[in-house]
Amino acid sequence: MNGFPKNARVCFIGDSITHNNGFVSRVYDYYHQNLKERNVNIYNCGVGGGRVSTALPIMEEDVLSHNPTHAVIMFGVNDSDNRFFSVERSSERYDKLVNAYEVFQTNLREMCRILREKNIEVILCTQAPYDEYQECETKPWQGGFALMAGYAEAVRNIARELGLPLCDYHKHMSRAMQDEVLYNPDRVHPNEKGQFEMAKCFLKFQGYDIGEYKPIPEYLEKWREKVSVQRNIWMAEKNIIWKFDLTVEEQIAAIKAYVEEFDGDEARANFVELGKKYLETKPMQKELYDEINYIMEVELKKR
């Protein structure tokens, strides 16, 4: 692939690894610094905790509203129902993991179909691997690496089946993480250097060389801050409500009740904090979209 064309509007769709806005920011920075004449706009459509099945109901509002010309898709970690690795091996656990694998493929094909019917060019990406072998305090899921390798192979097969370009993060990161620690202690989320490696992989796939590691430039800080607030709104709705057919008033009421009913359970504490921030920012969601678009499409172009 020879990069995004002039005036491309690109949506990166995915889970928390995309939501982080680390590799996405670096891809934008490369285009802004080296291919500014192409006027490429990039929109982060990642949702922490998301999977293909939760991205489909919000595509109209969260993705198609940007009038994208291109969509870059990466899912797999949450789709895999990896939480079943924490329970005892059984035929029931196996059946659930197999079902999750089949549902993932069905939903990914459906997402590609919807986007292609709207003449949006689709780029599929394999999910980054699970770092089962890193030495850290988090006990690994036995078989976690193999599980994500299976999802990566499913994405490769779908890309071949549909004739779509493929960026193979799993292959690149599996090799790169042999030489240095590229993951946070949770073994799932790439650290700062890992996010850089993902950007390096994507740009290499497009025929470009990002060079040696460097931090995300400060000029993107305002954009990244606003994007983080916006993505956390979707993350709260996905992780607390798990419903996408409610009115705005019903969504706010549901999360307000969740926050008010907090009983001090440490397992819920982070979600309660997420819910509190949601109640402050949800009424400003439309303004946030407009502000983010203005920063991307106007302010950053002035640099």
Side-chain angles (χ1 to χ4, degrees):
M1 183 177 180
N2 296 319
F4 299 120
K6 189 173 183 179
N7 298 323
R9 301 173 63 85
V10 186
C11 286
F12 280 78
I13 311 170
D15 52 33
S16 55
I17 298 175
T18 302
H19 180 152
N20 174 276
N21 212 13
F23 77 90
V24 177
S25 293
R26 288 183 169 91
V27 170
Y28 174 77
D29 179 58
Y30 183 89
Y31 272 87
H32 186 68
Q33 301 288 2
N34 301 280
L35 300 163
K36 194 169 184 176
E37 72 283 355
R38 294 203 188 177
N39 190 41
V40 172
N41 291 321
I42 289 180
Y43 306 94
N44 190 315
C45 298
V47 179
R51 54 184 72 191
V52 187
S53 62
T54 58
L56 282 168
I58 63 174
M59 277 184 62
E60 186 69 41
E61 183 177 358
D62 192 34
V63 176
L64 301 180
S65 59
H66 295 298
N67 297 315
T69 58
H70 296 72
V72 182
I73 304 172
M74 180 184 69
F75 286 99
V77 169
N78 302 308
D79 304 82
S80 70
D81 268 344
N82 49 49
R83 68 184 184 276
F84 290 118
F85 273 109
S86 63
V87 302
E88 189 175 332
R89 292 174 63 182
S90 66
S91 58
E92 181 182 6
R93 185 185 82 159
Y94 175 80
D95 290 343
K96 287 180 178 179
L97 290 170
V98 169
N99 180 68
Y101 188 64
E102 294 172 349
V103 168
F104 166 75
Q105 294 177 79
T106 298
N107 286 336
L108 185 57
R109 289 187 179 94
E110 175 64 8
M111 178 174 283
C112 292
R113 182 194 67 78
I114 292 171
L115 292 166
R116 295 176 83 187
E117 281 188 352
K118 295 183 178 298
N119 297 315
I120 298 167
E121 293 190 35
V122 175
I123 299 166
L124 288 182
C125 304
T126 56
Q127 179 67 271
Y130 175 74
D131 193 348
E132 187 172 350
Y133 306 104
Q134 174 181 322
E135 292 187 9
C136 65
E137 62 270 23
T138 303
K139 185 178 179 180
W141 297 320
Q142 291 185 351
F145 182 89
L147 180 70
M148 294 320 304
Y151 275 75
E153 190 59 27
V155 175
R156 294 183 192 111
N157 290 337
I158 291 173
R160 284 192 290 267
E161 171 193 322
L162 301 180
L164 298 174
L166 175 83
C167 176
D168 202 337
Y169 289 128
H170 192 278
K171 181 179 180 180
H172 177 89
M173 294 290 282
S174 293
R175 171 63 184 85
M177 71 186 192
Q178 305 304 315
D179 298 326
E180 58 186 316
V181 175
L182 297 178
Y183 280 75
N184 291 316
D186 64 7
R187 303 179 181 272
V188 173
H189 296 92
N191 59 23
E192 181 76 4
K193 191 68 181 294
Q195 288 277 343
F196 172 83
E197 283 293 331
M198 291 187 67
K200 182 177 181 178
C201 175
F202 187 82
L203 289 165
K204 183 178 180 181
F205 151 74
Q206 292 196 317
Y208 305 126
D209 182 5
I210 196 174
E212 297 301 315
Y213 170 78
K214 58 183 179 182
I216 297 172
E218 290 184 2
Y219 81 90
L220 292 175
E221 184 175 347
K222 180 180 178 181
W223 174 62
R224 284 168 51 80
E225 177 186 347
K226 297 296 181 182
V227 167
S228 177
V229 174
Q230 177 207 54
R231 304 323 303 167
N232 285 345
I233 291 174
W234 286 115
M235 184 168 70
E237 292 177 355
K238 186 270 170 195
N239 287 283
I240 297 176
I241 304 176
W242 274 88
K243 295 179 180 179
F244 299 99
D245 57 351
L246 303 180
T247 65
V248 171
E249 292 75 15
E250 289 171 332
Q251 290 169 336
I252 292 174
I255 292 186
K256 184 178 180 182
Y258 181 88
V259 169
E260 291 176 346
E261 292 167 4
F262 180 54
D263 57 4
D265 182 1
E266 290 186 8
R268 295 177 53 200
N270 288 337
F271 287 132
V272 169
E273 289 304 312
L274 182 65
K276 289 178 180 178
K277 292 177 182 178
Y278 171 91
L279 295 174
E280 296 174 3
T281 56
K282 177 63 177 180
M284 302 182 293
Q285 188 173 22
K286 175 62 168 60
E287 288 75 10
L288 268 171
Y289 268 105
D290 292 342
E291 186 172 5
I292 290 168
N293 289 345
Y294 182 81
I295 292 171
M296 171 62 63
E297 298 170 13
V298 179
E299 286 188 7
L300 294 181
K301 299 296 190 296
K302 294 177 180 178
R303 289 192 77 264

